[in-house]
C-alpha cells in the first residue's frame, strides 16, 4: 500500500520564515484547504504520516511539551474536519548532531514504515523545501514540492535536486494523488 508523508511547516501550516519556528499553538496557522486536502487523502484510505525537523526543541526555543501540545491540537483540529494523520515523527536534533532521522536523511520515514506493509516507491513525500526532495529520494519515494512554504518556483534553476512533481499547495497535490493511478 502507498503512504503519504507530509512535512509540517510550509505544507500543513504557515511557514514561519527562515530560521524561525512555530513556538506555540497561537502561532500555528493552517494553510488554506489543508484540512480539506488531508481529508481527501484520508478518504482514499492512505496512511498519512507527518515527517518534520523541529530543532527548536534542542535549541531551547520551545520545549518538547510545547511541541506535543501543538501536535495534539493540530491532530484534533484535523480530525474534526475528517482528516486523519496516522502518526507524527519529529527529529528535534540540530544539523550538527548528525542524527540519522534528521531530514534530508530518511530515518523518520524508515521509522514510520517499520513493521508496516508500505510500498515506498509508490508513496509520496510532500514538502516545501529541496531538503524534503532529498528526503523523498533517500527513502525511495516519489517527491512533491509545494510552493506554499519556503521554496519558490523562481529558484528552479538553482535546485540541486529535482522533484518528481510540483504543485501550488497541498490541496492541489492531494487532488493529483487521488485522481491518478500512480
Amino acid at each position: 500500500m502507498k503512504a503519504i508523508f507530509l512535512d509540517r511547516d510550509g505544507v500543513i501550516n504557515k511557514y514561519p520564515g527562515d530560521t524561525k519556528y512555530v513556538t506555540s499553538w497561537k502561532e500555528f496557522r493552517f494553510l488554506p484547504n489543508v484540512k480539506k486536502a488531508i481529508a481527501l487523502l484520508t478518504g482514499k484510505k492512505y496512511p498519512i504520516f507527518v515527517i518534520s525537523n523541529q530543532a527548536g526543541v534542542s535549541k531551547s526555543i520551545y520545549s518538547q511539551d510545547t511541541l506535543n501540545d501543538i501536535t495534539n491540537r493540530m491532530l484534533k483540529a484535523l480530525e474534526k474536519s475528517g482528516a486523519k494523520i496516522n502518526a507524527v515523527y519529529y527529529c528535534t536534533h540540530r544539523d550538527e548532531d548528525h542524527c540519522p532521522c534528521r531530514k534530508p536523511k530518511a530515518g523518520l520515514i524508515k521509522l514510520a514504515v517499520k513493521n508496516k506493509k508500505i510500498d515506498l516507491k509508490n508513496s509520496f513525500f510532500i514538502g516545501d523545501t529541496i531538503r524534503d526532495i532529498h528526503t523523498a529520494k533517500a527513502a525511495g519515494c516519489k517527491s512533491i514540492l509545494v510552493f506554499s512554504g519556503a521554496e519558490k518556483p523562481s529558484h528552479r534553476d538553482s535546485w540541486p535536486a529535482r522533484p518528481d512533481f510540483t504543485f501550488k499547495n497541498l490541496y492541489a497535490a492531494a487532488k493529483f494523488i487521488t485522481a491518478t493511478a500512480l
Side-chain angles (χ1 to χ4, degrees):
M1 130 179 28
K2 71 178 162 188
I4 310 298
F5 302 97
L6 304 173
D7 178 44
R8 195 190 80 179
D9 300 338
V11 175
I12 295 174
N13 59 285
K14 186 176 184 302
Y15 179 65
D18 293 346
T19 72
K20 295 195 170 110
Y21 299 89
V22 175
T23 62
S24 68
W25 178 247
K26 198 169 97 177
E27 294 176 4
F28 187 98
R29 298 279 180 270
F30 281 104
L31 287 166
N33 295 317
V34 159
K35 293 174 186 174
K36 194 189 305 187
I38 297 173
L40 189 62
L41 295 167
T42 299
K44 294 291 187 178
K45 307 281 188 244
Y46 297 126
I48 304 168
F49 304 96
V50 172
I51 305 292
S52 179
N53 290 343
Q54 294 293 324
V57 172
S58 62
K59 293 177 181 179
S60 298
I61 295 169
Y62 52 92
S63 69
Q64 183 66 53
D65 286 344
T66 297
L67 179 59
N68 294 344
D69 179 60
I70 293 167
T71 302
N72 291 334
R73 289 173 184 239
M74 173 187 76
L75 294 174
K76 283 180 184 152
L78 287 168
E79 283 178 22
K80 285 181 184 171
S81 300
K84 183 178 187 320
I85 301 288
N86 293 66
V88 177
Y89 296 90
Y90 293 129
C91 176
T92 57
H93 299 100
R94 297 172 294 209
D95 282 330
E96 56 269 25
D97 296 329
H98 304 290
C99 174
C101 69
R102 185 160 176 79
K103 295 184 304 179
K105 295 176 184 148
L108 289 178
I109 292 176
K110 289 176 184 170
L111 187 61
V113 301
K114 189 176 181 177
N115 302 320
K116 296 178 185 77
K117 291 183 174 18
I118 303 288
D119 175 8
L120 283 175
K121 76 176 177 38
N122 286 308
S123 294
F124 291 90
F125 188 104
I126 305 170
D128 69 316
T129 67
I130 297 303
R131 178 182 284 234
D132 294 323
I133 303 313
H134 285 294
T135 303
K137 292 183 184 307
C141 298
K142 295 178 190 315
S143 59
I144 294 179
L145 181 65
V146 292
F147 298 120
S148 53
E151 194 54 65
K152 304 294 176 236
S154 58
H155 301 161
R156 191 179 307 264
D157 290 342
S158 65
W159 293 345
R162 297 279 176 206
D164 294 310
F165 305 97
T166 59
F167 293 99
K168 179 181 176 184
N169 55 36
L170 180 57
Y171 186 61
K175 286 196 310 189
F176 168 77
I177 291 168
T178 58
T180 183
L182 282 176

